[in-house]
Amino acid sequence: MTSVSRRAFLATCMGTAACLRARAGHAEPPLPTYAAAAMTAGRLRFSGADTMHDLVAAWARGFNRFQPRVGIDNAATKLSAEGFDALLDGRADVVTFVREPFPSELDAFARKFGYAPTLVNVAGGSYATKSGTHALAIFVNSANPIARISLDELDAIYSKDRRRGGKAILTWGQLGIGGDWESRPIHVYGMPHLRESGNPPGIVNFFQQRVLRGGEFREDIREQADRPGETALDAIVRRVAEDSRGIGYSGFAYAAPGTKTLALAEALHGHGPYFAGTPDEVAHRDYPLSRQIYLGINRVPGKPLQPALREFLLFVLSRQGQLIAANDRMRFLPLTPAQTWASRNALLGAGG
């Protein structure tokens, strides 16, 4: 997979879904109800993130009320990377993704099969559940007069090659803040960019693909790592609370005294719209740094899915399946009706 097609794939699976939202005056369609078109049989093997283990088990119980002849194996793995390796090797039919795929994973899959894995969006990430694929918030010190920022500007702050265009932003004055702030340098905080595996943490991967469009991070970012008693996401917010010139990304649940979050817009040009990151904005993905969870499958282009897998996915993308998602302990956000129909149409429109 070329770097251009890989970026396009990541942008498609991570882009905001505001375009899916029914705007004022237009009612959303009702959620589809699952009804088995025909009884089927088979066995489905799931592997991947442990934060989706309970959800897959609950989906399996609900699905088996309609399709009792489909067996579902839910491997006790911990990471999406383990599930991806199993999918790549043919040991799993479905990988549970609580993050977007790493570029290295997409490259490995394309080298082996000649096409990209299929990601089926089955729920939103959580609003503010720690470890729950939560939306990202941009924190600054509460003394800072800035109130909003665009992804274009974040790219100019965090990236060294600025694929969104524009010049590097190094001072708060470049963001339109005058007075004593005009010449103050921006101190940039973030997580370590790579783990020992050679891949980034999931949050870093999301930020890099969504904000930097796959670009490289600046080398002078003040990286905060996990340590006993303090996670990296906690540390980023605490350092910003201590540093009036600081900026950093974390989750809304990590908010601390002395900090505030910024309203976000996709692009600088056009002046918005800006979204503060309310639960409703995150659920509808109007907020630009909302996240998603997926089921990943190896689908040969132009060929139908095996019947058991097709029926399971249609159950997940139904009123019954989304009600189960809404009650999961990780507080993943169920798909809106428009998002559900979009996922179903993408599934069925590709020969499902």
Side-chain angles (χ1 to χ4, degrees):
M1 181 179 290
T2 67
S3 60
V4 173
S5 61
R6 182 174 66 203
R7 289 200 300 272
F9 177 86
L10 287 166
T12 298
C13 74
M14 287 188 292
T16 59
C19 58
L20 302 177
R21 184 175 183 176
R23 299 330 244 170
H26 299 277
E28 288 192 275
L31 280 166
T33 298
Y34 180 77
M39 297 300 292
T40 189
R43 186 151 222 93
L44 299 176
R45 301 164 298 166
F46 286 74
S47 183
D50 58 357
T51 52
M52 283 185 70
H53 190 275
D54 290 350
L55 179 54
V56 169
W59 274 333
R61 291 191 296 270
F63 177 66
N64 282 151
R65 296 190 184 100
F66 296 91
Q67 298 282 6
R69 297 170 57 198
V70 178
I72 296 177
D73 299 328
N74 193 5
T77 47
K78 181 176 177 61
L79 301 174
S80 294
E82 297 174 78
F84 180 83
D85 287 343
L87 182 71
L88 194 66
D89 295 342
R91 293 177 286 111
D93 304 298
V94 185
V95 52
T96 51
F97 265 120
V98 292
R99 56 165 174 80
E100 294 68 31
F102 297 137
S104 63
E105 291 172 333
L106 295 177
D107 287 343
F109 195 97
R111 284 196 304 270
K112 183 166 185 175
F113 298 107
Y115 51 87
T118 295
L119 295 186
V120 182
N121 176 216
V122 294
S126 74
Y127 170 65
T129 304
K130 293 183 178 182
S131 302
T133 315
H134 52 75
L136 287 192
I138 303 301
F139 286 87
V140 296
N141 189 278
S142 57
N144 194 321
I146 194 171
R148 62 188 194 178
I149 199 167
S150 70
L151 299 197
D152 286 355
E153 290 166 325
L154 285 173
D155 176 57
I157 291 170
Y158 273 89
S159 174
K160 68 179 180 181
D161 48 3
R162 301 181 302 284
R163 290 184 175 174
R164 288 175 174 266
K167 298 179 179 179
I169 293 178
L170 304 175
T171 68
W172 289 106
Q174 290 176 272
L175 293 171
I177 304 176
D180 293 341
W181 286 85
E182 188 169 359
S183 61
R184 294 184 186 182
I186 299 173
H187 296 166
V188 186
Y189 293 89
M191 297 175 68
H193 301 157
L194 293 175
R195 297 190 188 279
E196 292 182 1
S197 65
N199 287 315
I203 285 174
V204 173
N205 181 55
F206 172 72
F207 191 91
Q208 187 170 19
Q209 303 304 329
R210 181 73 181 90
V211 179
L212 277 56
R213 294 181 175 170
E216 296 298 323
F217 284 97
R218 281 170 46 178
E219 295 176 356
D220 60 345
I221 292 175
R222 304 176 184 207
E223 294 184 355
Q224 305 297 305
D226 292 339
R227 61 182 185 181
E230 186 180 58
T231 68
L233 293 173
D234 281 311
I236 290 169
V237 179
R238 290 172 184 169
R239 300 299 88 77
V240 169
E242 298 162 354
D243 182 357
S244 65
R245 304 176 184 186
I247 188 170
Y249 55 80
S250 191
F252 288 103
Y254 296 87
T259 65
K260 64 181 182 181
T261 59
L262 301 181
L264 301 183
E266 176 70 30
L268 176 61
H269 303 294
H271 308 291
Y274 287 84
F275 298 96
T278 65
D280 180 72
E281 289 169 354
V282 170
H284 285 89
R285 302 179 198 160
D286 292 319
Y287 181 70
L289 295 184
S290 305
R291 299 187 68 194
Q292 303 176 42
I293 64 171
Y294 312 88
L295 296 180
I297 58 176
N298 183 351
R299 180 178 193 169
V300 180
K303 291 190 177 181
L305 294 170
Q306 60 163 300
L309 179 56
R310 179 182 186 275
E311 290 301 308
F312 182 87
L313 292 173
L314 289 178
F315 172 79
V316 169
L317 298 172
S318 73
R319 178 182 57 81
Q320 298 98 318
Q322 289 303 299
L323 181 61
I324 290 171
N327 290 310
D328 184 70
R329 66 182 179 86
M330 297 308 299
R331 298 183 180 178
F332 296 125
L333 296 168
L335 299 176
T336 67
Q339 291 163 3
T340 304
W341 281 107
S343 283
R344 286 173 67 96
N345 291 340
L347 187 71
L348 299 176

